[in-house]
Amino acid sequence: MSLDRSERQNEQNPSRTADAAAPPGRTPRPEAATPVPSRPHGGPAARPLPVGARGAAAPPPAYSAPPSSVRPEGPGPAGGSGSAPGPARLSAQPPAQDPAPVPVRLADTGVLELPTVLPAHGCWYPSADPTGDHVAYICDRAGVPQLWSGPAHGGEARILDADPDPVTEVSWSPDGRWIAYTSAPGGSEHTRVLVVRPDGTGRQVLAGAQPGASAHLGCWTRDGALLSVTIAQPGAAGAHSGGGHMPQDAGTGPGGSPLAAGWAERDPRNGHATYLGPPAPAPAPPQAPAPAAVGSGGGTAASGTGPPHLTPMPARAAVTPDGTPAAAGADAGGRLAVYLVDPDGTQAPALVFSEAGAASLRLCDIGADNRFVLLRRGPRGRREALLLDRFTGRITFRLAVADGDPWIGRLAPDSRTLWLRSDADREFAALLRARLDENGALEALSVAAEREESALDLLTLPDHGRWALLAWNLHGASELESVGLPGAEGYDPVGPRHRSPLPHEVVTRMAPVARGGLFAALSGSLRRPGIWEVTGDFAPVRTGWTATDQDAAPPGRLPVRPVPLRCRARDGLMLGGWYYRAPERDPGRPAPCVIHLHGGPEEQERPVFNPLYHEILGRGIDVFAPDVRGSSGWGRSFVDADLGTGRFAAIEDVADCAAHLVARGDADPLRLAVMGRSYGGYLTMASLVWHPEIFRTGIAVCGMSDFATFFAGTEPWIAQSAAAKYGHPEYDTALLRALSPMSRIDRLRAPVLAVHGEHDTNVPPMESEQFVRAARDRGVQAELLTLRNEGHDFLRADNRRLYRRAAADWLQQHLLPDRLGR
C-alpha cells in the first residue's frame, strides 16, 4: 500500500516554468514570440454540470480557514465586494503545534564532474527553466536517482547534487533562479525539500530537516519568490517513529494495538469505509441558502445525511474525536501543514493551511494576486480540491477530484476560471471548467474536455492560461494533446486540439515552456524512461542526454512487448492486464507463469519496460500483470469495487486470472506463481492462504500481513487513507481480521519469499517478518530479504539488481527446477 509516494514514483508533477511577471527589482527575460492556437469559431458548447449534484461543487457555509492562515499585510476586500488588493508581502507567526520549517544551509558543491554511469539508465521528471533552454530532471546514471540538469538542444548534462539520497520530485522556479527538489535520506519515507541554484551553489534544505518530520513539494508563487511545501509532523502519542521491525521474541499470531477512534465509519448503505475528519467548527450563518454539499453520498451539510464534509481543522483548535478541545500538540494522529518558504531567506516561513489527522495535503496553485490558493486534500478515493481565499480565510469552493497525479489543476490568470482534472459525478476523469465570481464562489461548472472510456491522466497549464496540455489514459497507454483555452469572457469551448504521435506508450510527466512546446517524460515497453522535447509542430524529439532506445535496455536481449489481455471474474466483472511471453517460448505450449500484482491498490499496470519482468522472462517464465478490481484506468466504479467486503472479491480475482491463463493454454497449472509489491504484496500473501492449491510459490514485497499491526505501525497520514480503503481498526475489527493473511496462516502451503526495505514506514518491515516467522513455525519454507538503505520503494541500482535477481532465482527454483545450474 502506498500513498502520495506511489504517485510520485510515477514521475508525475506539473511544470512551474511559465511566463510569470518579473518580481520587483528583477528584469524580465526576453522571450521569442510564439503563435498561440486561436480560439475556435464554432463547435459544441461545453456541457454544463448541475451545481450541487453528487461530486459537483458548492461552497460550504462559511467554514473558517485556520486562524493562523497567513494573510497579506494591508486591508482585504472591503464589504465582500471582491476588490482584491495586489500582491503583498506575507508575514505570520505559526502556532506552537505547527513548527515552521527551519532552512539548513549545506556545503556548496557547484556543478559536479560526470560520474561513472550505468550502461542502461533512465531520465524522468523534467522541469524546464523559463526560457526552455535548460531542463532539470532525475536520472539514475550513477546508480541512484539524483538531480541533473542539461541543455535542451544538445550538450553534456551535469549532476547538481551527488548525495546518495534518492531524489523524487523536481521543480524549477518561474524566475529561473532556483531548482527545488525532494529527496529521501537513506531511502526512507521521511522526505525533505531542498533548493539549489542552477550553477550548483546555494544548496539548502528548506523543509523536513527536523527529526521526525517529512516534507514534499508544492508549487511556486508565480513570480518565483516563494515555494510552498507540505510538512508532516508526527503525533505526540501513538505515531510511528521507528523502523517497525518485529522483536525477536515476539509471537506470530494476529493482533495489534487499535488506533484512536475518529478516522472512519462504516456506511450502512453501501458497506464502504469512509473517511471522517475531525468535527467541524460551528459555521457562521450563511448569507444565502446553502447549496448541496460535495460528497460521494449525495447528502447535504444542513440535513446531516450522507458522508460528512471533509472540513479543515483550525490550526489552533485541536479537538479530540468527541469534539472536546485537546491540549496543544496532543494530536495523536499527526498534522499536515502547508507553508510558503522564501529560499532567499528574506521572509519568514508563512503558514497557509493546516489540518490535524489529514491523509494528504498539497498546494497545487497560487493565483497571480496571491489571494486564492488551490489545495488538494483527503484520503485516497475521496480526494477533493479546495479553493482558499487567503484574504478572508474562507474555503470558497470544493470539488471531488480523481486519484493519481496530485497536480489537479490551475487557476486562470484572473482567478475567475479554475481548470480541474476531476471525476466528480463521472466514471472517468475529465477536464472541468469552474467559473468563479470575484469572491471565488462557483458560478457554473461544465465539462471542457472528455473522452469516452478514457481518463484524463495529467493536466498541465502554463501561467498565461492560453492553452493546456492533456495526457489521456486509454487502458494503460497515453495519448497527448494540446488544447487552446478560451478567455475570461463567455463560455466558449476549448480548442483547437493538436495531438502528438508518441514514440513510446506512456507519458509520465509534462513540463511546458511558456513560449510554446513542452518537455515530456515518456516510458515504453521497449526502453527505460527518457525525456523528449515536443516542439512547435508537436513532434517529439529525444533530448541529447536521454539514452537511445538501443542503449536504454540491458544489452544482449531485447525487451518483450506485452499484449493486452482481458478476463472475466467469477461475478462477471471484466478485468484487464498485460501478458509478457518469454523469448523463444512456443506459444502453443503451456508455460511456467507468474502473476504480478501492482500496488495501490489504485495503481494501474501500464505497458512500460520493467527490469524485474525482463529478468524473469530471461529465465523462461511468462509474466501476467493484471488490473484486479480496485485498479485505476477502468473507471470509478472499478476503483471502488474492492472497498469494504469487496476486498474478498479482489482476492478471488487473482484466482480467476490464474484460471483464465490455464484455460487459454498460456500457463501450466502445475507451475503457477504469484508475486507483488505493496498492496500487491498483501494480495500475494492473501492469495497464498486463500488458494493454497493454485500457486506453487509466492514472492511478497513490502506487503501487509495483518491489518491490526499495520495500522499500529504505519505513518498516521497513511493510516487515514487506509481506513477509508480497508476499514476502521476499531469499528471494522472483525472485517480486518478476516481480510488479514495472518488470520489464515495455517492454510499456507507454498514456499514464500518476502522482501522489504529496512526503512519502510509506509508498510513497516514487521509485516513481512511476522509472516515469514509464522510460516517457518508451521514448517513451510520461507525466506526474508531485507534491503539496506531502502524504504517502501527500491531506488538504488544495486538493491534493485539484488531484488530482481533474488526474485528470479526463487521463481526458477520452484517453477523450473530442471533448469537449475544450467
Side-chain angles (χ1 to χ4, degrees):
M1 193 203 99
S2 51
L3 192 60
D4 282 327
R5 186 68 177 269
S6 68
E7 298 161 347
R8 294 196 297 271
Q9 79 180 29
N10 287 334
E11 304 149 22
Q12 299 171 353
N13 199 25
S15 171
R16 295 293 181 247
T17 60
D19 54 348
R26 301 177 192 161
T27 304
R29 299 174 182 265
E31 294 187 356
T34 302
V36 177
S38 60
R39 292 168 53 190
H41 297 287
R47 178 166 62 85
L49 287 178
V51 176
R54 177 187 180 275
Y63 290 139
S64 299
S68 56
S69 292
V70 181
R71 303 181 184 179
E73 296 175 350
S81 64
S83 57
R89 181 182 178 88
L90 304 174
S91 63
Q93 293 297 325
Q97 67 257 44
D98 283 311
V102 179
V104 177
R105 182 65 185 269
L106 302 177
D108 283 342
T109 56
V111 176
L112 303 171
E113 294 295 327
L114 185 69
T116 302
V117 300
L118 297 174
H121 60 269
C123 303
W124 62 94
Y125 223 120
S127 185
D129 73 359
T131 67
D133 293 332
H134 290 82
V135 182
Y137 60 95
I138 300 174
C139 184
D140 60 0
R141 295 171 70 176
V144 63
Q146 293 172 312
L147 179 65
W148 290 66
S149 176
H153 308 111
E156 185 61 62
R158 296 179 175 180
I159 187 170
L160 296 181
D161 187 340
D163 282 355
D165 301 330
V167 174
T168 59
E169 299 176 296
V170 181
S171 181
W172 207 314
S173 67
D175 61 8
R177 299 188 312 117
W178 292 100
I179 301 171
Y181 56 108
T182 303
S183 74
S188 73
E189 306 307 299
H190 286 212
T191 57
R192 59 183 187 173
V193 174
L194 301 92
V195 292
V196 66
R197 296 192 184 278
D199 62 359
T201 63
R203 189 167 62 106
Q204 57 182 305
V205 180
L206 283 189
Q210 296 88 338
S214 183
H216 57 256
L217 279 174
C219 70
W220 291 91
T221 55
R222 301 204 180 192
D223 62 3
L226 302 173
L227 175 69
S228 64
V229 297
T230 297
I231 297 182
Q233 296 289 348
H240 175 72
S241 60
H245 292 279
M246 183 179 181
Q248 292 299 313
D249 56 352
T252 58
S257 302
L259 295 185
W263 290 351
E265 64 179 6
R266 175 67 56 202
D267 186 341
R269 296 169 300 174
N270 55 29
H272 294 175
T274 58
Y275 177 72
L276 179 62
Q287 298 179 354
V294 180
S296 60
T300 64
S303 68
T305 61
H309 277 300
L310 308 184
T311 53
M313 181 72 174
R316 294 185 188 270
V319 296
T320 59
D322 63 1
T324 59
D331 296 325
R335 176 181 293 272
L336 298 181
V338 174
Y339 285 85
L340 290 176
V341 183
D342 178 11
D344 293 317
T346 61
Q347 301 186 48
L351 179 65
V352 176
F353 191 88
S354 177
E355 182 179 0
S360 69
L361 185 62
R362 189 182 295 245
L363 202 160
C364 298
D365 192 29
I366 304 174
D369 62 357
N370 286 337
R371 176 181 178 184
F372 295 104
V373 298
L374 174 64
L375 296 155
R376 192 204 70 157
R377 52 91 65 203
R380 300 174 315 167
R382 293 178 61 84
R383 309 284 196 200
E384 66 175 357
L386 301 181
L387 189 65
L388 169 67
D389 183 347
R390 298 178 61 243
F391 290 178
T392 64
R394 293 168 59 96
I395 301 296
T396 65
F397 170 78
R398 63 202 304 154
L399 181 72
V401 293
D403 285 324
D405 183 59
W407 305 99
I408 55 175
R410 296 206 77 190
L411 287 156
D414 62 356
S415 295
R416 295 297 300 274
T417 301
L418 176 61
W419 302 96
L420 285 172
R421 183 185 67 85
S422 171
D423 62 355
D425 203 32
R426 45 191 308 112
E427 277 291 307
F428 294 92
L431 176 62
L432 301 190
R433 172 170 49 191
R435 292 285 299 159
L436 310 172
D437 66 17
E438 64 272 16
N439 294 315
L442 181 67
E443 289 184 339
L445 185 67
S446 61
V447 178
E450 62 181 336
R451 290 194 183 185
E452 186 176 356
E453 298 295 314
S454 182
L456 181 59
D457 237 3
L458 302 173
L459 167 65
T460 303
L461 297 88
D463 281 350
H464 54 62
R466 297 191 296 268
W467 43 267
L469 297 161
L470 313 177
W472 299 92
N473 181 340
L474 184 60
H475 296 164
S478 297
E479 293 187 3
L480 177 64
E481 71 176 356
S482 171
V483 298
L485 301 180
E489 68 284 355
Y491 295 87
D492 295 336
V494 301
R497 298 169 181 258
H498 302 277
R499 296 187 181 179
S500 172
L502 297 176
H504 300 285
E505 291 97 325
V506 179
V507 180
T508 62
R509 185 173 184 256
M510 302 178 296
V513 180
R515 65 186 183 188
L518 76 148
F519 293 90
L522 304 180
S523 289
S525 58
L526 301 183
R527 61 157 297 128
R528 291 176 187 262
I531 298 173
W532 274 253
E533 183 178 13
V534 183
T535 55
D537 58 358
F538 225 47
V541 177
R542 182 178 56 85
T543 54
W545 25 264
T546 289
T548 65
D549 291 355
Q550 295 77 13
D551 295 333
R557 181 163 49 88
L558 294 177
V560 172
R561 187 186 294 276
V563 296
L565 182 62
R566 303 296 300 273
C567 63
R568 191 175 298 277
R570 63 190 64 187
D571 62 358
L573 184 65
M574 186 64 70
L575 312 176
W578 299 89
Y579 194 87
Y580 298 75
R581 183 167 293 279
E584 304 178 0
R585 170 72 61 192
D586 181 0
R589 183 178 179 183
C593 181
V594 58
I595 296 176
H596 185 276
L597 305 165
H598 63 66
E602 309 92 330
E603 293 178 18
Q604 180 187 10
E605 192 66 37
R606 311 194 71 169
V608 297
F609 175 74
N610 188 323
L612 172 64
Y613 298 174
H614 189 74
E615 184 77 31
I616 295 172
L617 293 165
R619 308 294 182 95
I621 301 171
D622 290 2
V623 177
F624 179 51
D627 287 324
V628 299
R629 70 190 66 206
S631 305
S632 296
W634 305 93
R636 170 52 62 182
S637 297
F638 194 89
V639 172
D640 291 342
D642 68 343
L643 296 179
T645 56
R647 189 80 45 209
F648 294 108
I651 298 172
E652 301 301 329
D653 286 347
V654 183
D656 293 341
C657 287
H660 183 76
L661 296 178
V662 171
R664 279 173 46 94
D666 292 322
D668 182 344
L670 300 180
R671 294 187 292 177
L672 276 172
V674 61
M675 68 178 299
R677 194 194 72 82
S678 191
Y679 173 75
Y682 156 77
L683 214 51
T684 295
M685 297 180 195
S687 298
L688 292 174
V689 297
W690 256 266
H691 299 286
E693 74 284 356
I694 293 180
F695 300 105
R696 188 163 180 175
T697 189
I699 302 175
V701 184
C702 300
M704 303 93 71
S705 61
D706 189 294
F707 281 111
T709 54
F710 163 72
F711 273 113
T714 189
E715 301 285 3
W717 50 92
I718 294 174
Q720 295 287 2
S721 272
K725 268 292 173 186
Y726 307 117
H728 191 282
E730 286 186 351
Y731 306 150
D732 299 313
T733 304
L735 173 64
L736 294 178
R737 182 181 298 113
L739 286 170
S740 296
M742 286 293 292
S743 68
R744 300 169 67 95
I745 192 67
D746 288 339
R747 299 195 65 197
L748 181 67
R749 299 290 182 271
V752 61
L753 170 66
V755 185
H756 226 109
E758 68 168 336
H759 299 315
D760 190 351
T761 61
N762 186 326
V763 178
M766 184 176 68
E767 295 301 304
S768 289
E769 294 166 2
Q770 66 188 4
F771 193 81
V772 168
R773 182 173 295 182
R776 290 175 175 175
D777 289 347
R778 289 155 177 81
V780 178
Q781 181 186 0
E783 300 292 340
L784 174 63
L785 172 63
T786 299
L787 298 179
R788 305 302 179 191
N789 295 316
E790 297 286 7
H792 196 61
D793 302 311
F794 306 154
L795 301 176
R796 303 177 190 279
D798 53 349
N799 281 329
R800 293 171 70 93
R801 187 182 307 111
L802 173 62
Y803 158 55
R804 62 178 180 260
R805 289 181 178 175
D809 287 345
W810 183 270
L811 293 173
Q812 184 173 342
Q813 174 187 348
H814 294 283
L815 300 184
L816 293 169
D818 55 315
R819 292 185 55 180
L820 290 177
R822 295 187 181 181

